[in-house]
Structures are given as C-alpha cells and as structure tokens.
Amino acid sequence: MNPTPDAWLQTDAFLADTLIGVDDALEEALRAQRANGLPAIEVAPVAGKFLHLLARICGARRVLEIGTLGGYSTIWLARAVGADGRVVTIEAESANAAIARASIDAAGIGERVDIRVGRGADVLPTLVGGFDLVFIDADKESNTLYLDWAAKLGHPGTVVVLDNIGRAGEIIRDDTTDSQVIGTRDALKMLGDDPRFDATALQTVGAKGWDGVAVAVVV
Ligand code: DHB
Ligand code: MG
C-alpha cells in the first residue's frame, strides 16, 4: 500500500475495530461534541485506549488532564483509575466543560471526574499535587508551563503524556512562525534538557493525520 492519508485512515479504522470495537458511551460523547460544534481534535480511539492502558500499567489513581474539550479522553482516563480514583481535568471554555460534564456523567463515571473551568495558568496553581499521570492536550503555546506544573504536581514515577508533538513535521521547520509549533518544539526541548524528566516521542499516522505523542517519566 502507498503511505497515503487514506491508507492511514483505513488502517486506523481496522485497528480501532479490531482492538476497541463499538463503545456506546464514547461514541455518544463524540456525537454530542460534533452536534455542539466542537472541533474534531479529540484523540483518536486507539490513542484514547493508549492513554487508558498507560494509566492502568502505572496503576494511576490520580490523573490530571489539561484540556478536556468534550470529555472523550477524560472518559478513557476515568475508566482506568478505578472506583476510588480521580481525574481532575482543566477546560478553559465553560461551554465545552458543560458538554463534557454531561457525556462523562452519561458514561457512568461522573463521580470520578472533577472538571475545573478556567485557564490552565490560573487553575494549576490551585491544585493539590500527587498526580500519577498527567495528560497535556491544550493550547500548545503553554506547553512548557504545563510541563513545569506536571513536574511540580507529580512525583518520581509520574507519567507525563504530551499530545500533538508531530504537527505534520512542522516542528523541524526553523522558519516557522506558528506559535503552536514553537510551543510544541520548546516543550520537546524541555523534555530533553530538563533534569526532572526522562522522555521519548513517537510519531503517529492515522485518524488524526501525521502527528505524534511524547511520553515522559518524572525522575
Ligand atoms: C489541535 C489540537 C489538538 O489537541 C489536537 O489533538 C489536534 C489539533 C489544534 O489546535 O489544531
Ligand atoms: Mg491533542
């Protein structure tokens, strides 16, 4: 097969069908998100399950998400933390938070999820630390600020996941003026240089085009 976006899409659909299947709560969350005009920038199904499995693998009981959108990734994470676990998720747009609240509650794990409405820069200083996994998927300009908070609110062993690190290869363009690309590249440099983290990153293709995800541990 030629490595075209259509081939990536079909292959991603095969992987999602084979490994995830039909999930009514997640599909209803996406339907609500689309019906309310939110952008289709939630993680792909296979990426949502990757987050879920990472949280289970590290035994996460407290998860922090920065960027709720419509709650799709939040549901994946909340399912991983167990009945006594908690997900704190930060969303800047109150309209998005309301949609997420309804979808998360409908998924039956509402009591595990605390949605904080506000900008990350304002909400993060109000949180109590001890998070076992932090998922950063918000305004890319603030990625280095979010990584700094992830280190502060985590502990040695905390898993940090940073979404959208590939950006269709734009991150290697030194002449870019795109503030989101610059914020992402700065975050990758921070993950490489900052002694609080040990990190890698994987490029991805699939339902979300050509992008990628960084995974780090707080040392
Ligand atoms: C964008 C943001 C995301 O978090 C994502 O997964 C894809 C795209 C964006 O702002 O373009
Ligand atoms: Mg994203």
Side-chain angles (χ1 to χ4, degrees):
M1 289 248 276
N2 291 322
T4 61
D6 189 52
W8 308 339
L9 267 175
Q10 289 180 42
T11 306
D12 220 27
F14 167 78
L15 295 172
D17 285 348
T18 306
L19 300 169
I20 301 171
V22 176
D23 187 310
D24 290 337
L26 288 168
E27 276 156 35
E28 185 56 25
L30 290 184
R31 194 207 53 74
Q33 190 174 307
R34 308 281 189 259
N36 285 282
L38 273 62
I41 58 171
E42 77 287 340
V43 298
V46 292
K49 187 153 187 190
F50 176 67
L51 287 170
H52 170 88
L53 291 173
L54 267 183
R56 282 172 54 192
I57 290 164
C58 74
R61 287 290 169 266
R62 293 198 66 207
V63 168
L64 172 62
E65 177 180 64
I66 307 173
T68 315
L69 195 65
Y72 180 80
S73 49
T74 321
I75 293 169
W76 274 115
L77 289 165
R79 287 176 175 174
V81 297
D84 298 329
R86 290 292 175 269
V87 178
V88 176
T89 183
I90 302 173
E91 176 52 46
E93 302 289 339
S94 58
N96 294 356
I99 294 158
R101 181 81 264 165
S103 294
I104 292 162
D105 290 349
I109 35 75
E111 74 289 349
R112 303 180 190 178
V113 179
D114 178 5
I115 305 179
R116 303 288 178 95
V117 179
R119 308 237 7 123
D122 299 322
V123 175
L124 286 160
T126 71
L127 299 181
V128 176
F131 291 102
D132 307 309
L133 184 146
V134 181
F135 176 48
I136 301 170
D137 190 18
D139 57 308
K140 313 310 174 195
E141 292 83 353
S142 303
N143 272 340
T144 57
L145 178 86
Y146 297 152
L147 283 174
D148 184 56
W149 278 105
K152 286 184 191 154
L153 295 171
H155 52 75
T158 293
V159 174
V160 181
V161 182
L162 179 69
D163 196 29
N164 309 114
I165 59 84
R167 305 212 73 102
E170 289 290 313
I171 52 165
I172 63 167
R173 285 186 53 160
D174 290 331
D175 60 347
T176 188
T177 55
D178 183 332
S179 59
Q180 297 192 44
V181 173
I182 293 166
T184 301
R185 186 161 63 207
D186 288 349
L188 289 166
K189 289 180 180 165
M190 182 171 172
L191 286 173
D193 293 342
D194 189 318
R196 295 176 298 174
F197 299 106
D198 202 6
T200 191
L202 300 172
Q203 297 185 76
T204 54
V205 293
K208 301 294 155 179
W210 175 18
D211 208 337
V213 65
V215 180
V217 66
V218 175
V219 291

mmCIF file of all heavy atoms in Angstrom, residues 40-43 69 136-140 163-164 167 180 208 211, ligand 1:
data_model
loop_
_atom_site.group_PDB
_atom_site.id
_atom_site.type_symbol
_atom_site.label_atom_id
_atom_site.label_comp_id
_atom_site.label_asym_id
_atom_site.label_seq_id
_atom_site.Cartn_x
_atom_site.Cartn_y
_atom_site.Cartn_z
ATOM 1 N N ALA A 40 -13.107 18.708 15.858
ATOM 2 C CA ALA A 40 -12.848 17.252 15.918
ATOM 3 C C ALA A 40 -11.361 17.006 16.173
ATOM 4 O O ALA A 40 -10.658 16.418 15.350
ATOM 5 C CB ALA A 40 -13.310 16.586 14.633
ATOM 6 N N ILE A 41 -10.884 17.483 17.315
ATOM 7 C CA ILE A 41 -9.460 17.359 17.629
ATOM 8 C C ILE A 41 -9.210 16.490 18.859
ATOM 9 O O ILE A 41 -8.107 16.499 19.410
ATOM 10 C CB ILE A 41 -8.797 18.754 17.806
ATOM 11 C CG1 ILE A 41 -9.493 19.559 18.902
ATOM 12 C CG2 ILE A 41 -8.782 19.504 16.484
ATOM 13 C CD1 ILE A 41 -8.761 20.849 19.270
ATOM 14 N N GLU A 42 -10.248 15.758 19.287
ATOM 15 C CA GLU A 42 -10.025 14.792 20.374
ATOM 16 C C GLU A 42 -9.059 13.718 19.907
ATOM 17 O O GLU A 42 -8.866 13.523 18.706
ATOM 18 C CB GLU A 42 -11.364 14.186 20.829
ATOM 19 C CG GLU A 42 -11.939 13.129 19.902
ATOM 20 C CD GLU A 42 -12.510 13.678 18.609
ATOM 21 O OE1 GLU A 42 -12.817 14.882 18.553
ATOM 22 O OE2 GLU A 42 -12.650 12.903 17.648
ATOM 23 N N VAL A 43 -8.481 12.983 20.849
ATOM 24 C CA VAL A 43 -7.551 11.912 20.473
ATOM 25 C C VAL A 43 -8.296 10.835 19.684
ATOM 26 O O VAL A 43 -9.501 10.636 19.849
ATOM 27 C CB VAL A 43 -6.855 11.285 21.707
ATOM 28 C CG1 VAL A 43 -6.025 12.312 22.452
ATOM 29 C CG2 VAL A 43 -7.857 10.604 22.632
ATOM 30 N N LEU A 69 -11.803 19.449 26.429
ATOM 31 C CA LEU A 69 -12.626 19.510 25.206
ATOM 32 C C LEU A 69 -14.003 18.904 25.527
ATOM 33 O O LEU A 69 -14.646 19.364 26.461
ATOM 34 C CB LEU A 69 -11.907 18.822 24.033
ATOM 35 C CG LEU A 69 -12.472 19.104 22.623
ATOM 36 C CD1 LEU A 69 -12.303 20.581 22.242
ATOM 37 C CD2 LEU A 69 -11.813 18.229 21.570
ATOM 38 N N ILE A 136 -1.342 16.212 28.826
ATOM 39 C CA ILE A 136 -1.337 17.617 28.392
ATOM 40 C C ILE A 136 -1.819 17.675 26.943
ATOM 41 O O ILE A 136 -1.177 17.131 26.039
ATOM 42 C CB ILE A 136 0.078 18.222 28.513
ATOM 43 C CG1 ILE A 136 0.574 18.142 29.958
ATOM 44 C CG2 ILE A 136 0.077 19.659 27.985
ATOM 45 C CD1 ILE A 136 2.053 18.504 30.126
ATOM 46 N N ASP A 137 -2.960 18.349 26.738
ATOM 47 C CA ASP A 137 -3.576 18.386 25.406
ATOM 48 C C ASP A 137 -4.396 19.669 25.279
ATOM 49 O O ASP A 137 -5.597 19.631 25.036
ATOM 50 C CB ASP A 137 -4.462 17.140 25.218
ATOM 51 C CG ASP A 137 -4.940 16.983 23.789
ATOM 52 O OD1 ASP A 137 -4.358 17.600 22.877
ATOM 53 O OD2 ASP A 137 -5.909 16.226 23.586
ATOM 54 N N ALA A 138 -3.738 20.800 25.464
ATOM 55 C CA ALA A 138 -4.459 22.076 25.478
ATOM 56 C C ALA A 138 -3.757 23.055 24.541
ATOM 57 O O ALA A 138 -3.212 22.632 23.519
ATOM 58 C CB ALA A 138 -4.540 22.585 26.914
ATOM 59 N N ASP A 139 -3.786 24.351 24.836
ATOM 60 C CA ASP A 139 -3.136 25.336 23.974
ATOM 61 C C ASP A 139 -1.631 25.080 23.965
ATOM 62 O O ASP A 139 -0.984 25.054 25.008
ATOM 63 C CB ASP A 139 -3.465 26.758 24.445
ATOM 64 C CG ASP A 139 -3.075 27.005 25.885
ATOM 65 O OD1 ASP A 139 -3.468 26.208 26.756
ATOM 66 O OD2 ASP A 139 -2.322 27.966 26.122
ATOM 67 N N LYS A 140 -1.118 24.888 22.764
ATOM 68 C CA LYS A 140 0.268 24.428 22.636
ATOM 69 C C LYS A 140 1.278 25.503 23.048
ATOM 70 O O LYS A 140 2.409 25.188 23.428
ATOM 71 C CB LYS A 140 0.539 23.960 21.202
ATOM 72 C CG LYS A 140 -0.522 23.025 20.619
ATOM 73 C CD LYS A 140 -0.870 21.857 21.515
ATOM 74 C CE LYS A 140 -2.030 21.034 20.962
ATOM 75 N NZ LYS A 140 -2.605 20.118 21.955
ATOM 76 N N ASP A 163 0.384 15.606 24.003
ATOM 77 C CA ASP A 163 -0.212 15.308 22.700
ATOM 78 C C ASP A 163 0.288 16.272 21.629
ATOM 79 O O ASP A 163 0.752 17.368 21.924
ATOM 80 C CB ASP A 163 -1.745 15.399 22.805
ATOM 81 C CG ASP A 163 -2.455 14.734 21.631
ATOM 82 O OD1 ASP A 163 -1.892 13.775 21.064
ATOM 83 O OD2 ASP A 163 -3.567 15.178 21.274
ATOM 84 N N ASN A 164 0.195 15.806 20.405
ATOM 85 C CA ASN A 164 0.403 16.656 19.213
ATOM 86 C C ASN A 164 1.832 17.162 19.060
ATOM 87 O O ASN A 164 2.066 18.339 18.777
ATOM 88 C CB ASN A 164 -0.573 17.854 19.224
ATOM 89 C CG ASN A 164 -1.997 17.422 19.447
ATOM 90 O OD1 ASN A 164 -2.600 17.742 20.459
ATOM 91 N ND2 ASN A 164 -2.528 16.643 18.533
ATOM 92 N N ARG A 167 2.822 17.421 14.562
ATOM 93 C CA ARG A 167 2.286 18.545 13.798
ATOM 94 C C ARG A 167 2.727 18.501 12.345
ATOM 95 O O ARG A 167 3.243 19.479 11.800
ATOM 96 C CB ARG A 167 2.649 19.878 14.460
ATOM 97 C CG ARG A 167 2.186 19.941 15.934
ATOM 98 C CD ARG A 167 1.806 21.320 16.361
ATOM 99 N NE ARG A 167 0.542 21.719 15.788
ATOM 100 C CZ ARG A 167 -0.618 21.716 16.453
ATOM 101 N NH1 ARG A 167 -0.677 21.345 17.707
ATOM 102 N NH2 ARG A 167 -1.717 22.089 15.867
ATOM 103 N N GLN A 180 1.896 27.706 17.897
ATOM 104 C CA GLN A 180 1.627 26.360 18.434
ATOM 105 C C GLN A 180 2.793 25.412 18.145
ATOM 106 O O GLN A 180 3.144 24.572 18.984
ATOM 107 C CB GLN A 180 0.352 25.792 17.810
ATOM 108 C CG GLN A 180 -0.880 26.614 18.154
ATOM 109 C CD GLN A 180 -2.152 25.889 17.771
ATOM 110 O OE1 GLN A 180 -2.285 24.692 18.012
ATOM 111 N NE2 GLN A 180 -3.086 26.599 17.196
ATOM 112 N N LYS A 208 -5.881 11.033 12.886
ATOM 113 C CA LYS A 208 -5.543 12.441 13.125
ATOM 114 C C LYS A 208 -4.423 12.921 12.215
ATOM 115 O O LYS A 208 -3.737 13.893 12.532
ATOM 116 C CB LYS A 208 -5.168 12.642 14.599
ATOM 117 C CG LYS A 208 -6.264 12.256 15.570
ATOM 118 C CD LYS A 208 -7.474 13.179 15.450
ATOM 119 C CE LYS A 208 -8.703 12.431 15.921
ATOM 120 N NZ LYS A 208 -9.920 13.225 15.883
ATOM 121 N N ASP A 211 1.050 13.104 13.164
ATOM 122 C CA ASP A 211 1.263 13.850 14.402
ATOM 123 C C ASP A 211 2.132 12.997 15.322
ATOM 124 O O ASP A 211 3.030 12.292 14.842
ATOM 125 C CB ASP A 211 -0.082 14.217 15.025
ATOM 126 C CG ASP A 211 -0.005 15.492 15.865
ATOM 127 O OD1 ASP A 211 1.093 15.837 16.319
ATOM 128 O OD2 ASP A 211 -1.047 16.109 16.082
HETATM 129 C C1 DHB B 1 -5.120 20.717 17.578
HETATM 130 C C2 DHB B 1 -5.100 20.481 18.937
HETATM 131 C C3 DHB B 1 -5.093 19.199 19.412
HETATM 132 O O1 DHB B 1 -5.041 18.932 20.734
HETATM 133 C C4 DHB B 1 -5.135 18.129 18.536
HETATM 134 O O2 DHB B 1 -5.115 16.890 19.053
HETATM 135 C C5 DHB B 1 -5.142 18.355 17.177
HETATM 136 C C6 DHB B 1 -5.151 19.655 16.700
HETATM 137 C C7 DHB B 1 -5.139 22.097 17.087
HETATM 138 O O3 DHB B 1 -5.283 23.012 17.883
HETATM 139 O O4 DHB B 1 -5.013 22.282 15.888
#
